[in-house]
Amino acid sequence: MATTLEALEARREQARLGGGEKRIAAQHAKGRLTARERLSVLLDPGSFEEYDMFVEHNCTDFGMEATKFPGDGVVTGSGTINGRLVYVFAQDFTVFGGSLSERHAQKICKIMDMAMKVGAPVIGLNDSGGARIQEGVASLGGYAEVFQRNVLASGVVPQLSLIMGPCAGGAVYSPAMTDFIFMVKDSSYMFVTGPDVVKTVTNEVVTQEELGGAVTHTTRSGVADVAFENDIDALLATRDFFDFLPLSNRHDLPERPSSDPWDRQEDSLDTLIPDSAARPYDMHELIRKVVDDGDFFEIQPAHAANIITGFGRVEGRTVGVIANQPMVLAGVLDIKSSKKAGRFVRFCDAFDIPIVTFVDVPGFLPGVAQEHDGIIKNGAKLLFAYAEATVPKITVITRKAYGGAYDVMASKHLRGDLNYAWPTAEIAVMGAKGAVEIIFRGKTPEEIAERTAEYEARFANPFVAASKGFIDEVIMPHSTRRRIALGLRKLRDKQLENPWKKHDNIPL
Ligand code: HXC
């Protein structure tokens, strides 16, 4: 018996070594952790239960039958993060470069199926050379099995991808279909075709980092959500992030007790809005003063920063926050910000996370490029997402709410449950000067100035909208947290359903 137990332990030891000491050292030399080291940072100590440790590939081409590593390049299992269940896979670059074989894919599919059955999120740590070249089409089939599960799991359990090394070719499409993508700076990249192919086809010369590094994807493309300095930062932030997420669409929101008073008054908010309408202010200040303990996890902070999206808590329960940011492009809605916020709204709605919207928006961005690139269909994504969302929706207009953007930003007309405005709100079809120049075209500058002052007095306030019931209450800025907390309490048991349908047809 003793020898059998020892034999098991010896097998486990060998499996834990992955591709061996030399390849582990090479991984460390690149500033990267191994798959198992990553899981030990991500999960609560001692919580990881590994499955399929002894799975091996079934390839017999290219002499592969002689080269087998237990586990076959991916470590899979379940564990907990701050006591809550999660299913994980971590690709092991030390084994065939973390490349995906048929069996490797089966291991990932197994934990995805289990996560779906029990209702727990899936976190994938991606570090892979892509399809296992020796296996050919078997590997492509394996990818497609994973893709199919990504789609079925979407909206059922939260899915999070950490890109911690190479991720190229069709392999990028699994992370792309998960809810959030985190990347590590200078050490991870994602692209459909790499720099060599790009050079051959388009003659463009570009580095891996420029083409698909963490900075590129979290600023320009918006493919990824947040970039971190190194593996440890990314994994620890993932633990914090996980605490905001419900386990599945069947679970209630996680609660984290907070000593932050629900009715905390923030007098400084009474002077947040500058005297001049043209002067910006930082919308982050309002968000941090409203959520519990100022704790806000921002999604896509560096992409389309004219809109802010992220998670906070009120009275310990998660809320999704969407806010126009006057500091960037005056908070205007454009293609990128509409897509960013639209996707965020849909995540919140899928997982029953209430949405709090702070509005200061001058409208949609005018311009030939915006029109030609499809601001109509792309702006409609955010409109569609807000309109279909049935979760509690609380909206606070702090300053501008002009034109179509007023409608879009969780207005009463899109089933906003509680629509508040600060006394500084200006709810109108457009800014005073622009409106007067159209209505009174050809008038002298003096007349225009006079009419502008008249228009401002009449429309640059929240009271016209309030008189029609479009605004439920004009509130003191200092009471914003209290109002939101009270509203969320009341809306906790909100019931609202959309008409039956197979699925909608959001303008993609
Ligand atoms: C099998 C692979 C592999 C792969 C790497 N390795 N990629 N084995 N299949 N796809 C192995 C290497 O042979 C090597 O084995 C070890 O992993 C480390 O690789 P290195 O090249 O030494 O590492 P590095 O210099 O860091 O370069 C990493 C790399 C490079 C950039 C990922 O290995 C690379 O370009 N690999 C091929 C990428 C690729 O073309 N993949 C297929 C794409 S098509 P030893 O034994 O020496 O340690 C695809 C389609 C998916 O993915 C479609 C889905 C629908």
Side-chain angles (χ1 to χ4, degrees):
M1 179 71 177
T3 44
T4 318
L5 300 188
E6 278 161 20
L8 170 63
E9 201 41 56
R11 272 174 169 266
R12 285 179 171 172
E13 268 314 304
Q14 197 208 341
R16 287 191 195 108
L17 264 184
E21 302 282 5
K22 225 172 103 203
R23 292 187 182 94
I24 292 173
Q27 179 81 344
H28 287 162
K30 291 181 201 151
R32 295 179 187 152
L33 299 178
T34 65
R36 284 169 198 284
E37 288 165 345
R38 286 169 176 161
L39 289 175
S40 73
V41 179
L42 177 68
L43 301 172
D44 295 338
S47 71
F48 181 52
E49 190 187 6
E50 185 168 348
Y51 310 132
D52 290 339
M53 192 185 214
F54 303 117
V55 161
E56 294 174 344
H57 69 73
N58 55 354
C59 178
T60 50
D61 291 316
F62 304 102
M64 283 290 276
E65 60 273 30
T67 325
K68 293 196 174 185
F69 295 89
D72 203 30
V74 64
V75 183
T76 59
S78 67
T80 58
I81 294 180
N82 292 320
R84 298 165 71 234
L85 181 64
V86 61
Y87 283 84
V88 288
F89 70 86
Q91 290 177 316
D92 181 354
F93 193 81
T94 69
V95 175
F96 302 118
S99 58
L100 186 134
S101 67
E102 187 179 0
R103 292 273 165 83
H104 175 129
Q106 280 170 7
K107 287 181 66 173
I108 296 175
C109 291
K110 188 189 272 187
I111 61 112
M112 292 181 80
D113 290 342
M114 288 173 89
M116 292 269 283
K117 259 189 281 188
V118 305
V122 178
I123 300 180
L125 310 184
N126 295 262
D127 186 356
S128 167
R132 178 87 47 88
I133 293 166
Q134 296 89 335
E135 288 203 12
V137 72
S139 160
L140 299 185
Y143 268 118
E145 296 283 343
V146 177
F147 297 160
Q148 179 66 63
R149 282 163 178 79
N150 288 132
V151 173
L152 296 179
S154 183
V156 179
V157 295
Q159 301 178 78
L160 176 59
S161 301
L162 272 71
I163 313 298
M164 312 189 87
C167 184
V172 293
Y173 285 109
S174 174
M177 290 190 291
T178 62
D179 297 301
F180 300 100
I181 300 180
F182 294 168
M183 293 184 77
V184 181
K185 285 185 198 166
D186 302 320
S187 140
S188 66
Y189 54 83
M190 297 176 78
F191 35 67
V192 174
T193 52
D196 294 343
V197 177
V198 169
K199 170 88 177 62
T200 312
V201 176
T202 68
N203 213 20
E204 292 162 300
V205 178
V206 65
T207 64
Q208 281 187 350
E209 190 60 29
E210 287 162 353
L211 187 63
V215 172
T216 299
H217 283 316
T218 53
T219 55
R220 283 182 75 88
S221 76
V223 163
D225 295 291
V226 193
F228 295 96
E229 293 301 323
N230 53 51
D231 281 14
I232 299 275
D233 279 2
L235 294 160
L236 293 180
T238 302
R239 287 178 59 86
D240 290 342
F241 180 65
F242 186 82
D243 288 348
F244 287 101
L245 304 178
L247 293 179
S248 76
N249 65 346
R250 306 196 296 268
H251 285 80
D252 197 5
L253 291 178
E255 290 206 33
R256 171 186 282 195
S258 161
S259 55
D260 198 352
W262 67 273
D263 57 353
R264 173 169 43 79
Q265 181 166 320
E266 277 292 348
D267 291 330
S268 61
L269 292 180
D270 290 343
T271 52
L272 180 67
I273 305 296
D275 290 336
S276 159
R279 283 221 356 248
Y281 59 94
D282 189 356
M283 192 60 101
H284 286 107
E285 187 178 336
L286 170 56
I287 297 169
R288 292 201 185 277
K289 284 180 174 161
V290 164
V291 297
D292 290 355
D293 307 304
D295 186 11
F296 181 61
F297 195 106
E298 190 166 351
I299 297 296
Q300 299 209 313
H303 174 75
N306 39 330
I307 205 156
I308 301 169
T309 54
F311 297 105
R313 296 183 188 84
V314 176
E315 293 200 88
R317 291 168 65 84
T318 304
V319 292
V321 178
I322 294 129
N324 309 112
Q325 167 60 297
M327 302 272 282
V328 181
L329 294 172
V332 77
L333 284 181
D334 58 1
I335 291 172
K336 285 183 175 176
S337 59
S338 301
K339 283 163 72 174
K340 167 179 164 178
R343 186 161 162 76
F344 185 77
V345 167
R346 280 168 71 83
F347 177 83
C348 291
D349 191 47
F351 290 101
D352 263 335
I353 299 172
I355 295 170
V356 175
T357 305
F358 296 115
V359 183
D360 186 350
V361 64
F364 280 97
L365 181 63
V368 175
Q370 286 285 307
E371 296 292 347
H372 286 187
D373 289 343
I375 182 68
I376 296 173
K377 276 259 165 110
N378 286 292
K381 291 185 172 123
L382 180 56
L383 170 58
F384 197 110
Y386 264 129
E388 75 169 349
T390 55
V391 286
K393 293 189 277 198
I394 300 182
T395 306
V396 181
I397 301 175
T398 59
R399 191 166 61 174
K400 295 171 197 157
Y402 291 162
Y406 153 74
D407 280 342
V408 169
M409 295 300 296
S411 64
K412 189 52 112 192
H413 325 283
L414 304 186
R415 303 187 295 182
D417 295 297
L418 288 168
N419 291 70
Y420 295 125
W422 286 6
T424 42
E426 302 167 21
I427 306 168
V429 73
M430 64 202 307
K433 196 156 179 295
V436 168
E437 277 167 0
I438 293 169
I439 307 173
F440 300 102
R441 201 186 294 276
K443 299 284 181 192
T444 64
E446 293 72 32
E447 277 173 312
I448 293 280
E450 200 180 312
R451 298 292 185 188
T452 302
E454 268 174 36
Y455 187 99
E456 269 170 7
R458 173 85 180 93
F459 295 109
N461 62 60
F463 298 106
V464 179
S467 74
K468 297 178 190 299
F470 298 169
I471 294 296
D472 297 302
E473 180 75 311
V474 181
I475 63 170
M476 291 293 186
H478 64 243
S479 69
T480 305
R481 173 172 160 90
R482 179 170 62 82
R483 294 283 188 156
I484 290 174
L486 272 177
L488 290 169
R489 266 188 220 171
K490 284 179 231 174
L491 291 165
R492 207 175 272 193
D493 296 321
K494 173 183 174 183
Q495 289 198 340
L496 178 65
E497 280 186 12
N498 292 328
W500 186 90
K501 56 185 90 173
K502 186 170 177 198
H503 59 70
D504 58 44
N505 190 14
I506 189 164
L508 290 173

